[in-house]
Amino acid sequence: MTPQTVGGLSAPAKLTSRPGRSPLLLLLLLTVLLLSLPSLSGASEPPRFIQIPKDQIAVSGGTVLFVCQATGEPRPQVEWRKKGKTIVSQLNRYEVRKFDGGAGAVLRIQPMRAPGDEATYECVARNTQGEASVTSKLTILSEDKLPHGFPTIDMGPQLKVVERSRTATMLCAASGEPEPVITWFKDFLPVDPSASGGRIKMLKSDSLGALQIENSDETDQGQYECAASNSQGVRFSAPANLYVRECCMPPRFHTLPTNHELMPGGSVNLTCEAVGPPMPSVKWMLGSEDLTPEDSMPIGRNVLELTNVQQSANYTCVAMSSLGTISAEVEVKVKKQCISCTSKMRTGAAVA
């Protein structure tokens, strides 16, 4: 704008409206600004679910797990209910484990019992702005009434010790019709590979599923289990521990064998587990006799199956690696039959 001159003095020029700056355009800009204010100020939001638990069909005596997660502002808190009552973790069979600051919760039941555990379970999310809920139904079947194609765990994860920064791989094989989907859990919580920055991967090849953990560290230690699910139901594997250790350590026992006492002709399984790293080979001995073939010595865990035991004996579990050898002895004692007692019983029966 060019100033106007009045009597040698400069006076401001008058402002004029430019074409296109209509009141309608200004109103539109003001509306957009007002609509953006709630998101800029962090407006409150009632709970809404981002992970909804599914109905489950499971095996009596097995494990089942429901996962529920919500979002909102402020962050909602989630709880599980059965018949209107809040479920609290019990040492027996029910356990609720929360994650995401309480906005997510896992309900785990093990072992399941029918008909008591057959019910509709409710996940409730609450914050200061409201409450929301979703439900899931649990159906429990006995092993002899499972439908064709119900998932079977053919191979579950095994105890594993890995050196820090190395890759750990947990394996799970399952079968069923249709082909089951394999998922993984750590310490009862779902494993989320997307939160690992690509370090954790779920791999699949035919019926075999693998959980691969690269550059492992102490945070990866825990109890892992896999679940196989299809339209017929879900089945969980037995859990297995993963240990992450600094390299390297001599062998040490994870599970020591225990003494047993049995009747003549009885049977017993002796279990011995040892860890490293490196993972040791484990064998059983009776005196100086090797009971485990040298060419098929298992790594980490060895179960000795004894049948028709007639004599007491001491068995030795030996774990060995390049860093050392350890051993532990266990006694299997056969109870002596009371011949005189048996004779008296027969005599008494004859007199009678």
Side-chain angles (χ1 to χ4, degrees):
M1 293 181 294
T2 304
Q4 297 177 348
T5 303
V6 180
L9 299 176
S10 295
K14 294 182 180 179
L15 295 174
T16 57
S17 300
R18 292 183 179 179
R21 291 291 181 90
S22 65
L24 181 60
L25 178 60
L26 294 175
L27 180 62
L28 180 60
L29 292 173
L30 181 61
T31 303
V32 171
L33 178 62
L34 290 174
L35 289 175
S36 66
L37 284 178
S39 60
L40 294 175
S41 61
S44 300
E45 179 188 356
R48 61 181 177 85
F49 289 101
I50 56 177
Q51 189 164 1
I52 298 175
K54 301 176 182 178
D55 292 344
Q56 302 274 18
I57 304 173
V59 187
S60 178
T63 301
V64 73
L65 191 146
F66 297 95
V67 183
C68 178
Q69 188 178 9
T71 187
E73 186 60 44
R75 185 195 300 269
Q77 294 297 297
V78 166
E79 67 178 23
W80 280 96
R81 296 177 183 174
K82 179 184 179 183
K83 298 180 180 179
K85 295 183 179 180
T86 300
I87 299 174
V88 294
S89 293
Q90 301 174 359
L91 295 177
N92 302 348
R93 302 184 300 108
Y94 283 72
E95 180 160 356
V96 176
R97 190 161 295 191
K98 294 191 176 184
F99 62 96
D100 189 23
V106 170
L107 170 63
R108 179 189 178 93
I109 308 173
Q110 179 189 19
M112 287 174 291
R113 296 174 183 167
D117 294 332
E118 278 196 318
T120 296
Y121 294 86
E122 182 183 20
C123 178
V124 181
R126 288 182 295 181
N127 66 9
T128 56
Q129 300 305 303
E131 179 178 300
S133 67
V134 289
T135 59
S136 290
K137 182 181 178 183
L138 173 60
T139 302
I140 302 175
L141 304 176
S142 59
E143 197 75 46
D144 60 345
K145 293 184 179 179
L146 296 179
H148 172 73
F150 195 92
T152 298
I153 300 292
D154 302 317
M155 180 184 66
Q158 303 294 316
L159 168 73
K160 186 176 288 291
V161 180
V162 65
E163 296 176 21
R164 192 175 184 275
S165 79
R166 296 294 183 91
T167 297
T169 304
M170 309 293 280
L171 298 177
C172 178
S175 56
E177 184 64 40
E179 184 177 316
V181 174
I182 295 176
T183 52
W184 288 89
F185 298 86
K186 174 182 179 282
D187 297 331
F188 302 166
L189 298 179
V191 175
D192 182 10
S194 64
S196 69
R199 197 172 60 85
I200 299 178
K201 300 180 179 68
M202 291 186 187
L203 309 176
K204 185 75 167 64
S205 175
D206 297 327
S207 63
L208 182 65
L211 182 68
Q212 183 175 286
I213 306 171
E214 297 176 353
N215 193 25
S216 57
D217 59 34
E218 288 76 6
T219 63
D220 298 315
Q221 285 192 157
Q223 190 179 79
Y224 288 81
E225 56 192 332
C226 63
S229 59
N230 62 14
S231 57
Q232 303 300 324
V234 62
R235 193 190 294 266
F236 277 72
S237 71
N241 286 320
L242 170 65
Y243 296 97
V244 180
R245 297 283 188 261
E246 293 288 348
C247 180
C248 297
M249 297 173 57
R252 63 182 181 87
F253 286 113
H254 173 70
T255 301
L256 277 170
T258 56
N259 296 331
H260 292 270
E261 190 174 10
L262 57 153
M263 298 298 294
S267 301
V268 66
N269 289 345
L270 304 180
T271 301
C272 184
E273 289 183 310
V275 296
M279 284 292 282
S281 301
V282 181
K283 69 177 181 178
W284 281 100
M285 300 183 68
L286 177 59
S288 59
E289 177 188 0
D290 280 337
L291 302 179
T292 305
E294 195 74 27
D295 57 351
S296 60
M297 198 177 301
I299 303 296
R301 184 173 187 266
N302 195 334
V303 179
L304 178 64
E305 299 179 359
L306 300 177
T307 59
N308 191 27
V309 179
Q310 300 292 339
Q311 293 182 344
S312 300
N314 291 332
Y315 295 84
T316 303
C317 173
V318 180
M320 49 192 157
S321 73
S322 57
L323 297 181
T325 300
I326 56 175
S327 63
E329 194 173 81
V330 58
E331 180 185 15
V332 176
K333 186 176 182 180
V334 177
K335 295 181 180 180
K336 294 182 179 179
Q337 288 184 322
C338 180
I339 300 176
S340 60
C341 297
T342 306
S343 178
K344 289 179 181 178
M345 290 177 62
R346 290 176 180 173
T347 303
V351 172

